[in-house]
Amino acid sequence: MSIKQYEIWIADLNPQLGTEAGKTRPVLIIQTNFLNQIPHPSTIICPITTNVKNDSEILRVHLKKGDANLHQNCDVMIDQIRTIDNKRFIKKVGDLPKNLIDKIKENLMIIMDLE
């Protein structure tokens, strides 16, 4: 299985604990391709939800229906970054458009205080 940064995949995030995103859902790969190209057993992701919050511009990045082959409007949950085992991935959905990649990078830098 070949995984690349800024691809969207369906992954099984169960079991869920506390406020973690659970269920089988789309996730955005944010891990660098440096790690994706070596035999690394886990991947850093941000879960994606259909529970769109229009008032959360930093904690979420809005995706429109059709972006990366998604079937409905969604939000990338920037504040729910986690690492998952590669066995959780089910199938690739699509690739994030360049303009949204820039927004993801910007929001990640804000919430992690990176410059």
Side-chain angles (χ1 to χ4, degrees), residues 38-60:
I38 62 173
H40 193 65
S42 59
T43 302
I44 304 167
I45 59 100
C46 285
I48 297 174
T49 182
T50 56
N51 184 11
V52 175
K53 303 280 186 189
N54 291 322
D55 59 346
S56 297
E57 291 300 317
I58 294 175
L59 299 180
R60 303 224 178 170

Side-chain angles (χ1 to χ4, degrees), residues 11-17 19-25 47 77 82:
D12 182 356
L13 300 184
N14 289 317
Q16 171 222 1
L17 183 63
T19 62
E20 293 174 347
K23 303 191 292 186
T24 298
R25 65 172 64 238
M77 296 184 283
R82 67 186 274 197

Side-chain angles (χ1 to χ4, degrees), residues 65-81:
K65 178 181 177 180
D67 287 343
N69 301 318
L70 293 168
H71 298 293
Q72 52 191 313
N73 292 339
C74 301
D75 279 351
V76 178
M77 296 184 283
I78 302 295
D79 61 327
Q80 291 284 327
I81 296 169

